[in-house]
Amino acid sequence: MLSLRFSIIFVAVQVSTMIASQAYAQQAAPAPAVLVQPAELRSMKKQAEYVGRAEALEKVDLRARVQGFLGPRMFKEGDDVKEGQVVFTIEREPFEAAVDQRKAQLAATRARLANADQQLQRTAELARKGNAPIAQLDQRTAEQGEAKAAVMEAEANLRDAQIQLSYTEIKTPISGRIGRAAVSPGNLVGPDTGVLATVVQDNPMQVLFSVTQREMLEARDSDVTGTVRARVRLADGSLYSEKGRIDFLDVQVNPRTDGQTVRAMFSNPDDILTSGQTVRVIIEEKGGDQVVVIPQSAIAIDQTGPYVFVVGKDNKVEQRRVQLGPDRNGLAIVNEGVGAGERVVVQGQQRIRPGMTVIPQPASSPTG
């Protein structure tokens, strides 16, 4: 019985010693190190982002207007072409022959007209002297009118043949870049063949996007109307180097989307923007408001909402609930909860809790 009491006492002493050792170890553990960064007061531009589509300012589909065999190409695919430049040819010989035929017909009708003029003049002189009946004079007058009409018809036929001959040279009506040729030389082409090639004028390039009626009203009521600029975010997330300007607002609202089309014009000297390309359009003010910003890495979220850890006096950790604005380039705008200059924890949040003392170490400054 006595040995049992000694065993119980010995176990109790061991448990007490272990608890005391753990408490001492906790008290003796060094404060955890965390990376902190001060909240900054910055001038941030108001931004809005939309899905847009790049479209060439002018686009022309080149087609054959007469039937014939296609001649050699007068361009390289993807080349820059000038307005009026010949890019395709169609065999000319049949159309040149048609022009010569029309010229001959015109010469014949003019000869008949000259004869009709002489006959009318002679008959009129005889009728004046009473040596020819009036009916004969009327006949000669009608023959002269018919000859004049025949000349006019022959002249029109000649012009038509010359127009048809001119269509054997397919010229681009605009300057721009020409795309892939759809038909190879030597093939029979005509008005029903379809598009032979497409020419687009892509410098400058227009980017079209849609804004809602609410956004339009807010823009018109704000003080920043007319002080915005446009940027383009490409598919890889990078910003296009050229800045754009908004120069057109559609006169109609799409009833299906309640959106109104807006156009921004961008210089495109290096052909970075391609007609039909989908891009993100960023509209931003030229100026900006002073706001408090912190790195997005400082923000944590639980069931109650977003919060941050702030290292205050004596390096004590405090948990702060925050109201956030939009994100921008890795920074978050803080509308409420953190003031400029306060140190927020950006790394090491998992090792700390409110009221704990930490060893703050500065992190790199935020960029924006």
Side-chain angles (χ1 to χ4, degrees):
M1 192 70 176
L2 183 59
S3 60
L4 179 59
R5 288 180 181 178
F6 278 117
S7 297
I8 294 174
I9 293 172
F10 179 74
V11 171
V13 170
Q14 282 188 323
V15 171
S16 301
T17 302
M18 291 176 59
I19 294 175
S21 299
Q22 291 177 356
Y24 177 78
Q26 288 180 352
Q27 291 176 359
V34 294
L35 294 183
V36 297
Q37 205 161 273
E40 292 190 17
L41 191 63
R42 288 196 178 191
S43 177
M44 298 290 282
K45 302 167 184 176
K46 293 181 180 178
Q47 286 187 348
E49 193 164 328
Y50 306 91
V51 176
R53 186 173 297 279
E55 290 188 9
L57 193 61
E58 292 186 8
K59 176 182 176 182
V60 176
D61 292 331
L62 302 177
R63 301 172 184 266
R65 302 176 72 173
V66 293
Q67 190 173 44
F69 289 98
L70 193 65
R73 295 175 193 160
M74 313 297 287
F75 67 94
K76 291 183 179 179
E77 296 174 329
D79 272 358
D80 290 329
V81 292
K82 300 295 184 182
E83 179 181 351
Q85 178 178 333
V86 177
V87 292
F88 289 104
T89 59
I90 296 174
E91 59 173 347
R92 296 174 57 89
E93 289 78 7
F95 299 93
E96 289 174 341
V99 169
D100 293 340
Q101 184 181 17
R102 298 303 182 187
K103 286 180 179 179
Q105 291 173 353
L106 177 59
T109 56
R110 283 175 174 170
R112 286 194 291 271
L113 175 60
N115 181 61
D117 287 340
Q118 291 177 356
Q119 293 298 325
L120 175 60
Q121 185 178 1
R122 291 170 184 168
T123 303
E125 181 66 22
L126 292 173
R128 185 177 61 82
K129 295 179 180 181
N131 296 327
I134 299 299
Q136 187 178 1
L137 178 62
D138 293 340
Q139 179 67 27
R140 295 289 184 267
T141 303
E143 289 173 354
Q144 185 205 41
E146 290 176 356
K148 284 183 178 179
V151 169
M152 295 175 61
E153 182 181 7
E155 290 175 341
N157 290 337
L158 175 59
R159 285 197 301 272
D160 179 68
Q162 290 172 334
I163 290 173
Q164 298 297 312
L165 175 61
S166 71
Y167 289 160
T168 61
E169 290 185 337
I170 302 175
K171 302 177 181 179
T172 170
I174 63 171
S175 297
R177 282 198 305 146
I178 190 167
R180 183 180 62 87
V183 181
S184 299
N187 282 284
L188 183 66
V189 296
D192 297 331
T193 301
V195 178
L196 301 180
T198 300
V199 179
V200 296
Q201 186 185 95
D202 51 9
N203 186 24
M205 179 73 76
Q206 62 179 346
V207 177
L208 304 178
F209 58 98
S210 180
V211 299
T212 65
Q213 287 302 289
R214 178 177 179 180
E215 290 168 329
M216 285 300 305
L217 293 173
E218 289 175 352
R220 287 172 176 169
D221 291 341
S222 69
D223 296 331
V224 300
T225 302
T227 64
V228 297
R229 66 180 182 181
R231 301 293 303 273
V232 160
R233 192 182 304 280
L234 302 175
D236 62 357
S238 64
L239 283 176
Y240 181 49
S241 58
E242 300 288 340
K243 298 179 177 64
R245 57 183 176 84
I246 295 175
D247 70 342
F248 172 75
L249 175 65
D250 200 358
V251 296
Q252 299 184 71
V253 175
N254 188 331
R256 292 177 298 176
T257 63
D258 194 38
Q260 200 162 352
T261 300
V262 180
R263 181 176 71 185
M265 297 297 297
F266 292 85
S267 179
N268 191 33
D270 299 322
D271 301 324
I272 300 298
L273 299 179
T274 305
S275 186
Q277 178 181 5
T278 300
V279 296
R280 304 288 298 185
V281 183
I282 301 172
I283 304 302
E284 65 181 14
E285 292 181 45
K286 292 182 179 177
D289 297 330
Q290 293 289 320
V291 294
V292 176
V293 296
I294 62 174
Q296 291 179 339
S297 58
I299 300 169
I301 299 177
D302 60 13
Q303 293 180 346
T304 307
Y307 67 90
V308 298
F309 286 119
V310 176
V311 178
K313 188 178 180 181
D314 299 329
N315 294 335
K316 295 282 188 181
V317 174
E318 178 184 354
Q319 186 184 48
R320 297 271 188 89
R321 294 290 171 180
V322 290
Q323 292 184 1
L324 302 175
D327 298 339
R328 189 84 52 79
N329 299 328
L331 299 174
I333 296 176
V334 180
N335 296 326
E336 186 177 332
V338 176
E342 291 191 293
R343 297 176 297 175
V344 296
V345 179
V346 297
Q347 186 174 328
Q349 294 97 322
Q350 298 84 356
R351 301 192 301 270
I352 61 177
R353 63 179 182 274
M356 180 182 290
T357 300
V358 296
I359 301 174
Q361 295 179 354
S364 60
S365 298
T367 58

